[in-house]
């Protein structure tokens, strides 16, 4: 039951509480945990071909934000004949209020740079409702898979020697 | 092709199969070695002819990397597409071929992989496997044994020359299949690589200084996979059909390239200058 339907002030999860949660999480993410990621938001102006793929993508300038990163272990699979191929999935939880203040919203296809690797967001979950109230959505949790940096057009990967891989 | 008079490459017959005549031959009597068969090969310039499976694999990879040289455009830059033999050892794939991976071990695509999956008999070229005496003969006309010498000068070269002949066994004609996978990021890159490879289909693949083999590709299977581990990948599988031939250097404990000499002859003629009637 929300405040607007009864006209009475709610006892719990009031604006003051939410503000308290926000300040607490802001401090927690940015000053205590300190695991920032850099997010590159893909530009929808990138030209696509008939296969619906953009061979040269453009991104917004990387935005560094504090978050909670949960990562799977790297999995190495050599069964398809190309030698060891490494995959890794991560889950990144953003504080909604914090990223909203920076004018940023993660979507499927955006790139996250973390731990010297790039991850492509493949799912976005927004289900952390404070008190179950839909207008008090608290976090944005995205899952992302490690992606080949050669297709991103963020950095030049075709340079260096074997022992100086980038 | 000729019938070898001395079936050197035959497997030794078991004793029960030997005739009385066989038992008397030189080959079956170690104390009576036929020295005609003891031909020195150490100063030969003629190398033993051998075509092994690795030669065919190398020919295919050579043609991929040196002749087809697949290229794609990546981020507005032309990039060579590496072609590798499938299932490399881990250290080789990660450490020596590090250019194919980023520092996190993620494969940089596009990449082409080929691996041999089967070897089968080529029935379109019948070979009588039961008769291993069939050989290809390669005669070398000049031989040190035919040197011009004083005897030749005196006699007006009445000798019939000898030829060095190298007898090489008839190859085993085989069809070798390679499963190849093209892995790219974009369909446009895949199109380019398929076009380049398909253009060479039907040609003879290999190094012109070594061996070349007829090839055939029937079809390219193409699919786009989207999964949560690797994201969106574009792959194409095709089977490369190679018609090759195999000649082992040593078979049945004998070298398959045997050296022989044709028979030399000294022709003696009779010339008379005085008739018997004039002899008194």
């Amino acid at each position: 039951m929300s405040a607007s339907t009864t006209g009475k002030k709610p006892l719990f999860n009031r604006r003051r509480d939410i503000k308290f949660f926000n300040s607490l999480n802001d401090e927690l993410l940015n000053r205590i945990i300190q695991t920032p990621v850099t997010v590159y938001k893909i530009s929808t102006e990138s030209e696509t071909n008939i296969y619906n793929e953009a061979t040269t993508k453009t991104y917004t300038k990387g935005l560094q934000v504090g978050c909670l990163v949960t990562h799977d272990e790297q999995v190495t699979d050599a069964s398809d004949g190309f030698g060891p191929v490494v995959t890794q999935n991560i889950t990144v939880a953003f504080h909604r209020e914090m990223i909203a203040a920076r004018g940023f919203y993660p979507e499927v296809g955006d790139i996250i740079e973390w731990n010297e690797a790039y991850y492509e967001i493949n799912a976005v979950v927004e289900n952390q409702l404070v008190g179950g109230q839909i207008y008090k959505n608290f976090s944005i949790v995205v899952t992302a898979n490690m992606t080949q940096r050669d297709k991103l057009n963020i950095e030049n990967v075709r340079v260096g020697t074997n022992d100086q891989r980038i | 092709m000729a019938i070898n008079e001395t079936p050197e490459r035959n497997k030794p017959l078991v004793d029960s199969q030997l005739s009385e005549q066989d038992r008397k031959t030189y080959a079956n009597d170690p104390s009576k070695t036929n020295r005609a068969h003891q031909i020195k090969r150490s100063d030969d310039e003629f190398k033993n002819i051998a075509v092994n499976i690795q030669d065919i694999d190398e020919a295919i990879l050579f043609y991929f990397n040196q002749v087809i040289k697949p290229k794609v455009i990546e981020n507005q830059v032309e990039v060579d597409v590496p072609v590798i033999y499938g299932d490399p050892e881990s250290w080789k794939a990660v450490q020596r071929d590090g250019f194919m991976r980023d520092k996190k071990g993620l494969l940089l695509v596009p990449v082409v992989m080929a691996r041999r999956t089967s070897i089968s008999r080529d029935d379109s070229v019948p070979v009588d496997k039961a008769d291993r005496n069939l050989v290809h003969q390669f005669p070398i006309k000049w031989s040190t044994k035919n040197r011009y010498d004083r005897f030749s000068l005196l006699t007006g070269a009445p000798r019939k020359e000898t030829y060095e002949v190298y007898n090489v066994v008839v190859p085993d004609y085989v069809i070798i299949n390679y499963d190849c996978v093209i892995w790219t990021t974009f369909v446009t890159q895949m199109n380019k690589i398929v076009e380049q490879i398909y253009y060479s289909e039907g040609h003879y693949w290999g190094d012109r200084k070594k061996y070349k083999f007829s090839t055939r590709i029937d079809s390219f299977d193409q699919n786009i996979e989207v999964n949560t581990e690797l994201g969106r990948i574009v792959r194409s599988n095709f089977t490369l059909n190679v018609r090759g031939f195999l000649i082992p250097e040593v078979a049945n404990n004998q070298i398959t390239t045997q050296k022989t000499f044709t028979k030399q002859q000294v022709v003696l003629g009779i010339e008379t200058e005085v008739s018997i009637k004039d002899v008194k």
Side-chain angles (χ1 to χ4, degrees), chain B residues 99-137:
Chain B
F99 66 94
M100 290 176 58
R101 284 169 169 74
D102 66 13
K103 62 184 168 189
K104 287 293 178 182
L106 212 62
L107 196 66
L108 301 178
V109 294
V111 62
V112 178
M113 182 272 294
R115 59 182 164 194
R116 175 165 33 83
T117 51
S118 69
I119 301 173
S120 57
R121 186 173 58 194
D122 186 354
D123 288 327
S124 65
V125 186
V127 175
D128 184 4
K129 301 274 285 187
D131 188 359
R132 277 307 194 180
N133 299 325
L134 289 173
V135 290
H136 281 296
Q137 291 191 317

Side-chain angles (χ1 to χ4, degrees), chain A residues 14-146:
Chain A
R14 292 188 296 179
R15 185 176 297 172
R16 206 173 115 188
D17 297 331
I18 299 297
K19 201 174 174 182
F20 172 66
F21 293 158
N22 286 342
S23 63
L24 205 63
N25 277 286
D26 185 45
E27 186 177 349
L28 190 68
L29 291 175
N30 292 321
R31 299 181 65 184
I32 298 172
I33 297 175
Q34 291 183 314
T35 53
V37 297
T38 305
V39 183
Y40 298 90
K41 197 145 180 60
I42 191 163
S43 166
T44 52
E45 301 299 315
S46 301
E47 281 191 25
T48 58
N49 57 24
I50 61 164
Y51 307 112
N52 300 311
E53 56 192 19
T55 53
T56 50
K57 298 180 178 67
T58 51
Y59 301 89
T60 58
K61 197 174 176 183
L63 180 72
Q64 198 171 55
V65 286
C67 59
L68 285 178
V69 180
T70 316
H71 58 88
D72 296 346
E73 299 300 324
Q74 285 97 339
V75 177
T76 303
D77 180 19
S79 62
D80 57 359
F82 289 93
V85 176
V86 176
T87 58
Q88 187 183 30
N89 290 336
I90 61 169
T91 304
V92 182
F94 296 102
H95 183 209
R96 189 185 182 90
E97 180 80 11
M98 190 198 308
I99 61 171
R102 301 185 66 173
F104 153 71
Y105 180 80
E107 291 176 286
V108 171
D110 292 341
I111 302 297
I112 294 173
E113 184 183 359
W114 173 76
N115 191 22
E116 300 183 326
Y118 294 95
Y119 300 82
E120 183 175 351
I121 296 175
N122 54 42
V124 180
V125 177
E126 297 177 82
N127 281 333
Q128 197 175 27
L129 308 174
V130 178
Q133 295 173 4
I134 55 172
Y135 54 90
K136 290 176 182 167
N137 204 337
F138 199 72
S139 69
I140 299 175
V141 181
V142 303
T143 53
N145 59 279
M146 194 191 282

Side-chain angles (χ1 to χ4, degrees), chain A residues 49 51-57 74 78-89 115-117 120 122 145-153 155 157-158 162 165-166, chain B residues 74-76 79 84 86-88 90 93-96 98-99 101-111 113 115 181 183 185-188 191 228-232 235:
Chain A
N49 57 24
Y51 307 112
N52 300 311
E53 56 192 19
T55 53
T56 50
K57 298 180 178 67
Q74 285 97 339
S79 62
D80 57 359
F82 289 93
V85 176
V86 176
T87 58
Q88 187 183 30
N89 290 336
N115 191 22
E116 300 183 326
E120 183 175 351
N122 54 42
N145 59 279
M146 194 191 282
T147 188
Q148 283 117 350
R149 60 185 68 206
D150 55 303
K151 71 175 180 184
L152 300 178
N153 200 17
E155 60 181 73
V157 296
R158 306 285 180 181
N162 281 348
R165 286 177 286 152
I166 62 167
Chain B
E74 180 187 277
N75 298 327
Q76 299 173 325
V79 174
I84 59 168
D87 298 313
S90 301
V94 173
Q95 296 183 36
R96 186 178 294 177
F99 66 94
R101 284 169 169 74
D102 66 13
K103 62 184 168 189
K104 287 293 178 182
L106 212 62
L107 196 66
L108 301 178
V109 294
V111 62
M113 182 272 294
R115 59 182 164 194
V181 184
W183 183 352
T185 310
F186 304 113
V187 178
T188 48
N191 294 347
T228 54
E229 279 77 36
L230 292 165
R232 179 180 185 269
R235 285 205 200 197

Side-chain angles (χ1 to χ4, degrees), chain B residues 22-275:
Chain B
D22 289 332
R23 291 196 177 89
K24 291 177 182 173
T25 59
Y26 291 112
N28 294 302
D29 188 350
S31 64
K32 295 180 179 176
T33 306
N34 187 351
R35 293 190 63 196
H37 297 161
Q38 295 179 333
I39 298 172
K40 186 180 171 189
R41 296 285 309 274
S42 60
D43 52 356
D44 269 2
E45 290 184 0
F46 191 93
K47 290 182 180 173
N48 290 341
I49 292 180
V51 183
N52 51 43
I53 297 170
Q54 190 176 338
D55 287 329
I56 300 176
D57 293 342
E58 285 174 356
I60 298 306
L61 285 183
F62 174 88
Y63 202 81
F64 263 126
N65 283 313
Q66 303 298 325
V67 181
I68 299 177
K69 287 185 181 175
K71 295 180 194 303
V72 295
I73 302 294
E74 180 187 277
N75 298 327
Q76 299 173 325
V77 177
E78 191 175 68
V79 174
D80 286 333
V81 179
V83 181
I84 59 168
Y85 193 84
D87 298 313
E89 277 195 80
S90 301
W91 71 269
K92 167 79 165 50
V94 173
Q95 296 183 36
R96 186 178 294 177
D97 295 342
F99 66 94
M100 290 176 58
R101 284 169 169 74
D102 66 13
K103 62 184 168 189
K104 287 293 178 182
L106 212 62
L107 196 66
L108 301 178
V109 294
V111 62
V112 178
M113 182 272 294
R115 59 182 164 194
R116 175 165 33 83
T117 51
S118 69
I119 301 173
S120 57
R121 186 173 58 194
D122 186 354
D123 288 327
S124 65
V125 186
V127 175
D128 184 4
K129 301 274 285 187
D131 188 359
R132 277 307 194 180
N133 299 325
L134 289 173
V135 290
H136 281 296
Q137 291 191 317
F138 297 90
I140 310 286
K141 286 197 170 181
W142 189 87
S143 171
T144 52
K145 291 182 181 293
N146 296 328
R147 274 194 190 133
Y148 185 75
D149 54 16
R150 301 299 297 174
F151 183 73
S152 304
L153 183 66
L154 285 171
T155 58
R159 284 191 308 180
K160 186 181 176 187
E161 292 177 338
T162 183
Y163 295 114
E164 287 180 21
V165 179
Y166 291 88
N167 305 295
V168 183
V169 294
V170 175
D172 293 315
Y173 293 94
V174 290
I175 295 175
I176 299 182
N177 289 315
Y178 293 85
D179 271 359
C180 305
V181 184
I182 308 169
W183 183 352
T184 64
T185 310
F186 304 113
V187 178
T188 48
Q189 293 176 338
M190 176 63 71
N191 294 347
K192 292 281 178 205
I193 297 173
V194 170
E195 287 163 14
Q196 292 166 37
I197 293 174
Y198 202 68
Y199 181 80
S200 297
E201 183 269 337
H203 290 202
Y204 280 80
W205 287 24
D207 184 354
R208 65 168 63 174
K209 294 175 185 169
K210 294 181 181 175
Y211 303 103
K212 297 179 95 172
F213 304 98
S214 169
T215 57
R216 179 175 158 172
I217 300 169
D218 284 328
S219 64
F220 288 84
D221 299 333
Q222 298 201 18
N223 50 55
I224 300 171
E225 300 167 21
V226 181
N227 59 48
T228 54
E229 279 77 36
L230 292 165
R232 179 180 185 269
I233 56 174
V234 182
R235 285 205 200 197
S236 178
N237 302 289
F238 65 94
T239 302
L240 179 66
N241 216 256
V242 179
R243 299 172 88 94
F245 48 90
L246 300 173
I247 304 175
E249 188 167 7
V250 177
N252 295 343
N253 203 27
Q254 298 230 343
I255 296 172
T256 52
T257 302
Q258 295 280 342
K259 181 180 181 181
T260 55
F261 289 97
T262 57
K263 288 176 182 171
Q264 272 187 320
Q265 278 184 317
V266 176
V267 181
L268 300 176
I270 301 172
E271 290 182 7
T272 54
E273 291 184 356
V274 180
S275 166

